[in-house]
Amino acid sequence: MTDSVDHSIQAFAPVLPLVVAYSGGADSTALLHACARRWPGQVYAIHVHHGLQAAADTFEAHCRAVCAQLHVPLSVVHVDARHQAGQSPEDAARRHRYSALIAHARQAFAEPMASIALAQHADDQVETMLLALSRGAGVAGLAAMPSHWQREGLNWYRPLLGVDAANIRAWLKVQAIAWVEDPTNADPSYTRNRIRLQLLPMLEQVFPQFRDTFSRSSAHAAQAKRLLQDLAQLDLQSVGVPPVIKALQQLSEERQANVLRHWLLQYHQVTPSAAQLQELLRQISVCHTRGHQIRIKVGYGFAVRVGGKLGWYNP
């Protein structure tokens, strides 16, 4: 089927106006064209220029030409996407991209709940789950990517999450729509690329319906994730923000781990590794004297004791 993109956009009901994150690649090209046809005059595009590769200027020029042809207003945002020590290049680029999208969507629209559409698809969802499994992730990682959420006063959507990459490209080819290929997508040094190029074809042969079954597993994990978030929010009200160490010690180790993950992510945008979290829990469990210090690497910063509370800072 080559009309899955059309079906997905027909089922897509965003709050308008709609911003499309447009890289110039196949996926965001299909998303931009389909949305611009359905909501003429209500769609805008933002292209984030990361400055990380020589082809970036070519991508920008292509995006400008396509948006001019579609009569879609385009904002180009230049960011310094270099990563910090202890941070992966992919994570750094993603954070800069999201920050740029948020800032420019807010600047462009007075509406408090304008929408941003991202072009991740079914294969991206599978890759995200497999990466989470490879890291030994819990339900939060296995929940992978949501199709809709709210952040920073904006509605975020992934309307193509049920469409695989092959269908997206077939849809573009039928309509003779051009896109640009990011040369880094073929670089085998990136784990995600090896999954896409080597593992997914094998899964297709052994488990032809793997995208549907993985999607169901992801939905189950997302439900469990929401329950854990609800519990973490209740516990956070009890232990305080920042968390009081003595109050943390009254919780079971599992609930301590859950509320600390929630606090670090919600208030500091970091996720501890399993080893970091385990060491933090150990330090909390033996922290009974006034002079006991806590200073543990967590993400690209440190969890520290500040008086009777737990803090986090980025040096």
Side-chain angles (χ1 to χ4, degrees):
M1 267 177 81
T2 59
D3 57 353
S4 298
V5 171
D6 291 322
H7 287 169
S8 294
I9 298 304
Q10 285 302 316
F12 179 31
V15 177
L16 297 175
L18 176 67
V19 176
V20 172
Y22 180 43
S23 70
D27 312 322
S28 65
T29 296
L31 180 62
L32 180 66
H33 276 260
C35 290
R37 290 175 188 174
R38 186 171 180 200
W39 298 289
Q42 294 280 0
V43 175
Y44 303 79
I46 296 179
H47 175 77
V48 180
H49 187 303
H50 296 90
L52 295 175
Q53 55 177 301
D57 290 340
T58 302
F59 297 162
E60 178 185 336
H62 173 84
C63 291
R64 289 189 182 279
V66 170
C67 287
Q69 181 184 19
L70 294 175
H71 304 291
V72 170
L74 172 70
S75 295
V76 176
V77 187
H78 289 253
V79 300
D80 181 357
R82 290 174 294 183
H83 63 287
Q84 302 180 34
Q87 188 181 28
S88 74
E90 296 92 336
D91 183 57
R94 182 171 56 253
R95 290 180 182 278
H96 284 292
R97 185 162 57 250
Y98 274 82
S99 295
L101 289 171
I102 291 168
H104 280 73
R106 282 178 165 175
Q107 178 181 332
F109 305 112
E111 293 86 347
M113 292 303 288
S115 303
I116 297 180
L118 308 177
Q120 284 96 352
H121 49 69
D123 289 1
D124 292 323
Q125 185 77 310
V126 171
E127 291 162 16
T128 301
M129 286 190 70
L130 291 171
L131 283 169
L133 280 169
S134 74
R135 293 192 296 262
V139 294
L142 298 179
M145 299 182 292
S147 59
H148 174 227
W149 73 104
Q150 292 181 350
R151 174 183 172 187
E152 303 285 346
L154 297 164
N155 276 290
W156 299 76
Y157 300 92
R158 293 185 175 102
L160 301 182
L161 212 51
V163 186
D164 64 63
N167 270 333
I168 289 174
R169 281 155 180 76
W171 185 87
L172 290 168
K173 289 176 180 177
V174 164
Q175 301 175 76
I177 297 173
W179 68 88
V180 293
E181 288 287 356
D182 185 339
T184 64
N185 287 339
D187 185 349
S189 66
Y190 293 103
T191 304
R192 187 178 282 272
N193 288 347
R194 295 197 299 275
I195 291 174
R196 180 183 309 123
L197 299 173
Q198 301 173 29
L199 190 51
L200 294 195
M202 294 179 64
L203 282 171
E204 189 92 59
Q205 291 180 19
V206 180
F207 304 111
Q209 303 301 318
F210 76 93
R211 292 180 182 84
D212 292 336
T213 56
F214 278 34
S215 179
R216 287 201 298 274
S217 291
S218 175
H220 295 323
Q223 186 178 55
K225 175 185 174 182
R226 288 191 292 271
L227 291 174
L228 288 174
Q229 287 175 332
D230 290 345
L231 177 61
Q233 192 60 44
L234 290 173
D235 284 342
L236 199 59
Q237 293 175 12
S238 172
V239 303
V241 179
V244 175
I245 292 172
K246 286 186 177 180
L248 282 168
Q249 292 170 340
Q250 302 306 307
L251 299 175
S252 68
E253 184 173 302
E254 292 80 8
R255 288 175 70 165
Q256 284 184 48
N258 187 46
V259 73
L260 287 171
R261 284 194 200 94
H262 182 76
W263 166 66
L264 287 165
L265 183 60
Q266 291 297 112
Y267 289 89
H268 302 292
Q269 292 75 55
V270 296
T271 300
S273 68
Q276 290 171 346
L277 184 59
Q278 195 59 42
E279 178 58 21
L280 182 55
L281 292 171
R282 190 190 71 79
Q283 289 285 338
I284 290 171
S285 70
V286 298
C287 186
H288 295 292
T289 62
R290 183 175 298 177
H292 187 100
Q293 297 299 311
I294 295 176
R295 189 177 189 273
I296 299 169
K297 179 74 172 174
V298 175
Y300 53 90
F302 291 87
V304 296
R305 179 178 179 178
V306 182
K309 298 180 180 180
L310 193 66
W312 184 90
Y313 79 101
N314 179 18

